[in-house]
Amino acid sequence: MNALRADATPDVGWRQKHLLDVDVLSLAEIQLVMRTTDAMKEVLGRPISKVPALRGTNVTILFYEASTRTRVSFEVAAKNLSADVVNIAASSSSVTKGESLVDTIRTIEALGADMIVMRHGTSGAPYLAAEVFSGSILNGGDGWHAHPSQALLDLYTMRAHLGDVRGKKVVILGDVLHSRVARSNVWSLTAAGADLWICGPTTILRGFDAWAGRWSGGGAPGHAGFTVTSDIDAALRDADVVMALRLQRERMDAGLLPSLREYAARFGLTRERLALAKPTALVMHPGPMNEGVEIAPDVAIIDRSVITEQVTNGVAVRMALLYLLAGGHPEAVTNA
Ligand code: CP
């Protein structure tokens, strides 16, 4: 596909053809993504932040759901690596005429795609795509299931401030039931050894308590803890990181919450609540935010907020993922 692919060192520790979720990544692979992202940050700091690593590679971005951060940052990332990029919005494609996902993927392959970045409202859709596509599928978010590049950029951002996250108290607060971000973060944060707390109303913690119970019997190597609770004070006390999640009104069945106002009053991240966390605690949110619901507007822009930094880091992390999937090696980036 390109010179770097041909020169790639075989023993890079990266074993994946696709990026469908972080659950299949070893800790060594996650660390390789972090290291490769460091190399991409160095590239992005150059006067001309472009390298030829993916020259001649066709990257198609196929989104069936709305997106700002993921879609744009994958496009910027692919262009920074000199890939040829095609954008397809399902709403303006032959999907509207009844074309199936499988037919769409086969058509995109026939048009020359080497990699497809896709977002789909149905959990598991990228796995089906991976069965019929001969290149690499990168999951940009599927239903409630997974959002691997978001989890990896979240981990990268935490490490940039905290160093090793091992033993650090990380709280994910909000609508975890409908959150692919939360599900992918569980895998990467437990693999990295964080003391993970999941907090929200009992009605939207369904499934996470069983997951935590299973993990407490052994779990991912090195993980410090996995607690699921509706006790927001206990969750926030002495936290190193607080990640608020969007209340996903478009996915919400009626009856899970009494009202938005009550949700904001009981689980919104306010300055008063944040005062329970460590004074240095990072404030994170994957976006898009409902300010005044899951996070107060003044907390979103507090000096410890790294929300815009998450967005910026998304470009470097996605460059790293595209590069590794194309067979690249982090040491080769700086020579590119
Ligand atoms: N975090 C995230 O997935 O944002 P977008 O929906 O804007 O891509």
Side-chain angles (χ1 to χ4, degrees), residues 63 66-72 119 140 147 150 153 180-181 246 285-288 318:
F63 272 45
S67 166
T68 304
R69 294 152 199 78
T70 312
R71 196 196 62 70
V72 174
R119 170 170 289 188
H147 197 345
Q150 179 70 46
L153 76 87
R180 52 198 175 208
V181 175
R246 183 168 68 93
H285 194 304
R318 288 168 176 131

Side-chain angles (χ1 to χ4, degrees), residues 23-237:
D23 59 349
V24 294
L25 301 183
S26 64
L27 184 56
E29 285 174 307
I30 291 173
Q31 287 165 343
L32 182 61
V33 174
M34 300 293 115
R35 203 151 47 91
T36 309
T37 303
D38 286 338
M40 295 306 174
K41 291 281 277 190
E42 189 276 318
V43 168
L44 292 172
R46 295 178 189 173
I48 298 175
S49 56
K50 199 162 180 157
V51 288
L54 293 195
R55 183 171 291 153
T57 301
N58 292 310
V59 176
T60 297
I61 300 177
L62 172 67
F63 272 45
Y64 288 78
E65 277 190 344
S67 166
T68 304
R69 294 152 199 78
T70 312
R71 196 196 62 70
V72 174
S73 60
F74 263 118
E75 179 171 351
V76 172
K79 286 179 173 170
N80 286 343
L81 296 171
S82 303
D84 297 316
V85 182
V86 173
N87 265 291
I88 303 176
S91 56
S92 57
S93 74
S94 290
V95 169
T96 59
K97 301 176 192 164
E99 185 176 75
S100 71
L101 174 63
V102 166
D103 277 347
T104 301
I105 298 295
R106 288 194 176 125
T107 302
I108 291 170
E109 174 154 8
L111 290 167
D114 299 302
M115 295 177 153
I116 298 176
V117 181
M118 67 177 286
R119 170 170 289 188
H120 201 286
T122 303
S123 298
Y127 291 76
L128 176 62
E131 284 179 19
V132 296
F133 184 55
S134 68
S136 295
I137 298 284
L138 291 90
N139 183 2
D142 63 320
W144 300 3
H145 172 243
H147 197 345
S149 62
Q150 179 70 46
L152 292 164
L153 76 87
D154 291 339
L155 181 61
Y156 186 85
T157 306
M158 288 179 214
R159 285 166 52 115
H161 289 269
L162 305 174
D164 195 349
V165 301
R166 189 167 300 278
K168 296 287 193 303
K169 184 173 181 181
V170 178
V171 183
I172 299 181
L173 171 65
D175 181 6
V176 292
L177 177 64
H178 304 95
S179 177
R180 52 198 175 208
V181 175
R183 284 184 181 77
S184 287
N185 262 301
V186 166
W187 293 107
S188 45
L189 289 169
T190 51
D195 176 17
L196 179 60
W197 288 61
I198 302 282
C199 182
T202 47
T203 46
I204 56 177
L205 291 177
R206 284 194 315 232
F208 278 85
D209 36 8
W211 204 359
R214 203 170 68 227
W215 238 310
S216 65
H223 90 286
F226 187 172
T227 307
V228 176
T229 183
S230 287
D231 184 343
I232 187 166
D233 290 356
L236 293 180
R237 194 165 296 117

